[in-house]
Amino acid sequence: MTLEQLERLLGRIYGEAARPKPLHLLAALREVRSGVPLQDAARSARTTAANLDKLVQATDPVVHLLGEAASDRPEKEQKVRATIGQLIIGNLAEQVFEDTYRRTVGSTQLQLEDDRSGGGDTDYLVRNGEGRQVFRLNIKFHGSQFRKAQELVGLPPEDSFALATYKIYSALQKQEREHLPYIFVVVGVPNLTGAVVGDTMPTDVIEFATMARHSARFHGKRKVEDAIVQAITAQPADFGLSDTLNGFLAQIRNAIWRVISARRADALLREKLFERAYALRVRGFAMNYRGAELDMHFSISADLHSLEDMLRILRDDGLHALSVYLERGTY
């Protein structure tokens, strides 16, 4: 990637916003090349003249800032493609959820609040007319089917949804501490995976994201991926992806959306522990499947309920009625 290509890409990703370190030095480099004294340009970039001079003297400024391409770069790029693809799927799913919530619940006093920026395990909060939190929502997208689901957990692959047991525990603990119902919102499109979406991403985007992820000098690597996803989903035309993203969005919009409360997930986990958490039946699971999570598998058709039905209860019967259903584990 040349310096000019990187500058154009950064313009599409960040617009007029500040670039993350060390890319903030590129503005100072342009100033020096336009005749601004080195000391003045370094001061404006809040760096030392010596540090900026190294960039000015570099044969390849991009390599100086982000490092040489590694020998295993193709493998690294594939991983980055899958990560960015999965983040894009999540972003599109959240867009569809927001539309569904506002269309179904309407303009009641129960307002949906975006809580994704906190980096925690909650995507949305719902607040009442007094601004008090009334329940938490976490969006889960699944595209990869568990091919051995029928054999190992007694469910058809297309009817199986896996949720890590620690996430169920964590959600219930949060619910107990805060006295706020916690709800998992689940949507799936068969074979719509991070790898599939990632393969449609432009080469320059993936090249930059890979360099940023593996650069020793780069700060806030996850923030770079978040900025890329935000730019692509907000302005897909800038990346030549309008038709592609509209196609993915249509698939997610036409999918069946389901919900399961933390209370119900916990009750089913206890009831069907050895039946549905097959890792507990496998000798040496932790040794043979290092890095794998211990999952509980749910039947999408039998264990989960319709999102729109839940939202209609919220709209027609009110918060108290829905809270009773959630606390009892009915939903």
Side-chain angles (χ1 to χ4, degrees):
M1 179 179 289
T2 66
L3 179 60
E4 292 73 20
Q5 290 171 330
L6 178 60
E7 290 273 26
R8 285 197 298 271
L9 178 61
L10 294 177
R12 285 183 284 155
I13 295 173
Y14 294 100
E16 298 301 318
R19 275 52 167 168
K21 295 180 180 180
L23 297 177
H24 71 299
L25 296 178
L26 291 176
L29 174 62
R30 288 195 302 273
E31 289 182 349
V32 171
R33 289 181 172 181
S34 67
V36 175
L38 183 71
Q39 291 281 0
D40 293 344
R43 190 178 305 111
S44 67
R46 297 183 179 181
T47 189
T48 65
N51 187 41
L52 179 58
D53 190 50
K54 291 178 183 177
L55 176 61
V56 172
Q57 300 300 326
T59 304
D60 187 334
V62 176
V63 170
H64 176 79
L65 289 175
L66 299 177
E68 294 276 5
S71 59
D72 60 346
R73 180 161 146 183
E75 291 81 3
K76 290 179 176 177
E77 286 189 349
Q78 280 303 110
K79 292 181 180 179
V80 169
R81 280 188 181 276
T83 298
I84 290 179
Q86 194 62 47
L87 290 172
I88 286 175
I89 291 173
N91 186 289
L92 296 178
E94 287 156 0
Q95 289 182 36
V96 174
F97 170 75
E98 290 181 17
D99 291 344
T100 302
Y101 183 92
R102 296 190 172 103
R103 185 184 72 250
T104 307
V105 178
S107 57
T108 69
Q109 290 187 329
L110 295 167
Q111 297 299 314
L112 188 68
E113 177 182 309
D114 191 333
D115 194 49
R116 289 170 291 178
S117 62
D121 54 5
T122 302
D123 294 316
Y124 295 95
L125 294 168
V126 174
R127 295 182 182 271
N128 63 16
E130 298 175 349
R132 294 177 180 172
Q133 300 175 12
V134 291
F135 55 83
R136 293 180 176 274
L137 296 160
N138 182 246
I139 313 298
K140 295 293 183 189
F141 183 94
H142 65 108
S144 299
Q145 292 186 350
F146 182 29
R147 295 179 181 177
K148 292 187 175 181
Q150 188 69 62
E151 173 188 346
L152 295 176
V153 296
L155 295 172
E158 66 275 10
D159 190 44
S160 175
F161 167 68
L163 187 58
T165 52
Y166 82 87
K167 292 184 179 179
I168 299 171
Y169 176 78
S170 176
L172 196 61
Q173 291 299 302
K174 185 182 289 290
Q175 176 172 313
E176 297 289 355
R177 287 195 307 270
E178 301 177 339
H179 304 290
L180 291 176
Y182 194 108
I183 306 166
F184 295 102
V185 180
V186 181
V187 60
V189 177
N191 303 315
L192 182 59
T193 64
V196 169
V197 175
D199 282 343
T200 68
M201 294 298 105
T203 301
D204 58 348
V205 170
I206 300 303
E207 183 179 355
F208 166 60
T210 304
M211 288 190 294
R213 176 181 284 192
H214 296 283
S215 170
R217 298 191 60 193
F218 218 95
H219 297 253
K221 299 174 184 182
R222 175 57 192 269
K223 290 183 178 180
V224 170
E225 293 172 352
D226 289 341
I228 289 172
V229 171
Q230 180 60 35
I232 288 175
T233 54
Q235 301 290 338
D238 292 350
F239 299 86
L241 292 170
S242 292
D243 291 342
T244 300
L245 258 63
N246 283 336
F248 295 145
L249 194 60
Q251 291 183 64
I252 297 171
R253 200 179 299 280
N254 293 328
I256 297 174
W257 285 71
R258 302 278 187 172
V259 295
I260 185 169
S261 66
R263 180 72 68 196
R264 179 169 174 79
D266 179 69
L268 287 167
L269 172 62
R270 295 171 185 275
E271 176 187 343
K272 302 176 183 292
L273 181 61
F274 288 98
E275 178 183 345
R276 297 280 188 80
Y278 79 93
L280 298 176
R281 309 194 307 266
V282 178
R283 183 174 181 175
F285 179 84
M287 182 181 297
N288 295 323
Y289 299 91
R290 293 180 181 179
E293 294 180 338
L294 201 165
D295 290 334
M296 168 67 182
H297 293 262
F298 297 94
S299 166
I300 296 171
S301 61
D303 298 335
L304 280 62
H305 289 79
S306 163
L307 169 64
E308 295 216 10
D309 285 350
M310 187 198 80
L311 295 179
R312 278 193 287 268
I313 291 173
L314 180 62
R315 181 193 64 198
D316 298 339
D317 300 334
L319 176 62
H320 177 72
L322 179 59
S323 296
V324 170
Y325 285 129
L326 294 173
E327 186 55 36
R328 288 178 178 173
T330 306
Y331 264 75

